[in-house]
Amino acid sequence: MILAHGCYWGKCAFCDGSLDYIGRYEPLTAVEIADRMEEMIRLTGERGFHFVDEAAPPMLLKELALEILKRRMSVVWWTNVRFEKSYTRDLCRLLKQSGCIAVSGGLEVASDRLLKLINKGVSLEQVSRVTDHFTAAGIMVHAYLMYGFPSETAQETIDSLEVVRQLFLNGLVQSAFWHRFALTAHSPVGCHPEKYTVRITEKPFGGFARNDVDFEDTAGADHDIFGEGLRKSLYNYMRGAGFELPLHKWFDDPVPKTQIPPTYVARFLVDEQDCVQRDGHKKVYCLLALLPEVRYYDRNKKGKNVRTAEFLFRFRDGDARFQLKADWGKWLENLLIRLSDKNEKTVTLKDLEIEFKACHFGSFDQFITTPLWQSLREHGLYLL
């Protein structure tokens, strides 16, 4: 199935974005897609769906996931994505809860210079963090890789391989495939070869599509020497082997040493701040399978009776108990009931902060760092 006609990005230099089937972007609504899924289930009994879009729109995926959960549909699905910053930890967890089991995305050339030249709209730092968000949520990641893009040097090819090695080593990608760059007639490279150090060596093409135009790369490396080494190394990395082998060992011809530091990818993942936590514009969604059981009691603390709220959550991975001050507990209990009401207007994190402070409960920042709140964020309270 498709989520949308065409590609919502449509800017990649290697893609035939000037053709109507990619360039004209027309999305369906989440309701229309869910209706079609339910009809296919009724007709076929199948509950696995592959959305074959050029790149799935992340906000439409969010709305579809919410619709799937609203209808309590039992499905699994996977699709193609761009590794863009919209895929926060919360969105990836939501997609997983709705049935997403895998995504495939174009990393292409793991070089920031070439990603910019391709007009991919992502960086290596961004790709590292987004793939971490997907895998942390339990969603498998497949990466499309490219070598031989016009002007790509031998150094950039080897450095790209090193980034890929580190992505596998850190568990951020589960599978991948190297594709040799092919020049298509209606891509930006095909339409404006002079901007990409390309010389087309065949007659001008005037038909609907031609996916392998003959050309010369006048500025790049000899790309023929890399194919087999890239294939062999990737074959091993996908099986958890060969990470310690120097990169030049995979190639029959001499290649440069990588200039990528050994912790290049890992450093993007260290102390990453979940900025959603501080983004007051994010809407709050409660998608808990069950609301908690709550009881209030007095406990003795330093000779004084302190009114306490105890929450019992029955999460999918087991029960969990938490204690809060009674006034915080009563506010949270009412909040979860309100958020679970499908007719209740969606509120933002800023709305909650204003409400919390109006009740004179003290620091909202202190509240959202409690173990209870953090556990809710892991099990069905999303900031999207």
Side-chain angles (χ1 to χ4, degrees):
M1 297 178 65
I2 63 168
L3 303 164
H5 178 284
C7 179
Y8 75 97
W9 179 250
K11 300 176 184 178
C12 295
F14 57 79
C15 188
D16 280 341
S18 62
L19 293 179
D20 177 77
Y21 87 96
I22 294 176
R24 177 169 54 88
Y25 175 63
E26 294 178 350
L28 297 168
T29 67
V31 171
E32 289 173 325
I33 298 164
D35 285 345
R36 292 183 180 188
M37 293 172 74
E38 288 187 323
E39 178 66 5
M40 291 302 296
I41 292 171
R42 187 186 68 80
L43 292 173
T44 69
E46 297 292 341
R47 294 181 175 271
F49 294 86
H50 181 196
F51 299 110
V52 297
D53 298 59
E54 299 289 329
M59 291 304 99
L60 181 53
L61 285 182
K62 181 195 83 170
E63 296 301 325
L64 176 60
L66 291 170
E67 188 68 22
I68 288 172
L69 293 168
K70 175 183 174 182
R71 300 187 188 198
R72 300 184 182 277
M73 296 168 61
S74 177
V75 295
V76 295
W77 58 271
W78 60 104
T79 190
N80 309 313
V81 300
R82 292 178 60 250
F83 295 125
E84 60 166 85
K85 61 184 179 181
S86 299
Y87 292 105
T88 62
R89 290 190 183 278
D90 277 48
L91 179 54
C92 291
R93 286 196 292 257
L94 174 70
L95 299 183
K96 174 66 175 180
Q97 187 175 343
S98 73
C100 180
I101 57 173
V103 294
S104 53
L107 170 56
E108 319 308 353
V109 185
S111 155
D112 280 329
R113 180 189 80 85
L114 289 167
L115 286 173
K116 184 177 291 187
L117 182 63
I118 290 170
N119 201 13
K120 192 68 184 178
V122 301
S123 66
L124 293 180
E125 177 177 356
Q126 187 174 309
V127 168
S128 300
R129 291 184 172 177
V130 168
T131 52
D132 183 40
H133 296 167
F134 277 117
T135 54
I139 297 172
M140 295 183 291
V141 177
H142 174 87
Y144 297 120
L145 305 170
M146 181 189 297
Y147 73 101
F149 191 81
S151 81
E152 182 178 355
T153 65
Q155 185 68 62
E156 286 172 324
T157 303
I158 293 301
D159 287 348
S160 184
L161 174 59
E162 173 59 15
V163 172
V164 170
R165 186 190 73 86
Q166 292 184 27
L167 288 171
F168 276 97
L169 184 62
N170 285 278
L172 307 183
V173 175
Q174 287 70 55
S175 65
F177 188 83
W178 287 101
H179 301 258
R180 176 73 179 265
F181 170 77
L183 178 58
T184 60
H186 301 288
S187 66
V189 179
C191 294
H192 307 284
E194 70 284 354
K195 294 182 180 180
Y196 299 89
T197 70
V198 162
R199 187 172 70 85
I200 295 177
T201 57
E202 64 175 57
K203 294 180 180 180
F205 179 76
F208 168 67
R210 177 156 166 70
N211 295 328
D212 199 358
V213 176
D214 293 332
F215 74 98
E216 289 181 356
D217 179 1
T218 62
D222 178 4
H223 306 301
D224 291 337
I225 69 174
F226 294 105
E228 183 61 15
L230 294 175
R231 185 196 67 78
K232 286 192 297 186
S233 58
L234 189 60
Y235 177 88
N236 282 272
Y237 297 159
M238 285 195 291
R239 287 154 180 79
F243 293 118
E244 74 293 340
L245 201 65
L247 298 188
H248 72 270
K249 293 289 188 179
W250 299 112
F251 300 91
D252 295 329
D253 295 283
V255 297
K257 291 183 178 180
T258 183
Q259 295 180 353
I260 299 294
T263 58
Y264 181 79
V265 168
R267 68 187 174 90
F268 293 138
L269 312 178
V270 174
D271 297 328
E272 182 192 0
Q273 295 298 315
D274 189 355
C275 58
V276 174
Q277 185 86 322
R278 303 297 175 191
D279 188 346
H281 299 293
K282 293 293 184 180
K283 294 181 180 178
V284 184
Y285 295 86
C286 180
L287 298 172
L288 296 173
L290 293 171
L291 289 174
E293 300 170 20
V294 188
R295 73 181 183 96
Y296 296 87
Y297 65 97
D298 292 320
R299 63 169 176 158
N300 189 279
K301 187 175 182 181
K302 296 182 180 180
K304 295 182 180 180
N305 285 334
V306 178
R307 194 68 175 165
T308 302
E310 181 181 74
F311 285 74
L312 171 61
F313 289 92
R314 302 193 182 280
F315 296 133
R316 290 183 176 85
D317 56 357
D319 294 351
R321 294 180 185 271
F322 301 93
Q323 283 79 37
L324 281 179
K325 293 187 296 185
D327 52 356
W328 284 15
K330 193 64 179 176
W331 179 80
L332 179 62
E333 181 184 9
N334 290 332
L335 173 65
L336 294 179
I337 293 171
R338 283 161 44 202
L339 292 176
S340 299
D341 184 351
K342 300 299 185 292
N343 297 317
E344 179 75 8
K345 181 181 177 182
T346 305
V347 298
T348 67
L349 191 63
K350 187 64 177 178
D351 294 331
L352 297 189
E353 181 177 8
I354 293 171
E355 180 182 315
F356 190 88
K357 290 181 176 179
C359 294
H360 306 290
F361 289 157
S363 169
F364 186 68
D365 286 347
Q366 183 182 354
F367 175 76
I368 63 177
T369 57
T370 60
L372 189 159
W373 181 265
Q374 296 299 319
S375 186
L376 282 175
R377 297 271 280 105
E378 293 288 334
H379 290 91
L381 193 70
Y382 299 109
L383 307 180
L384 300 167

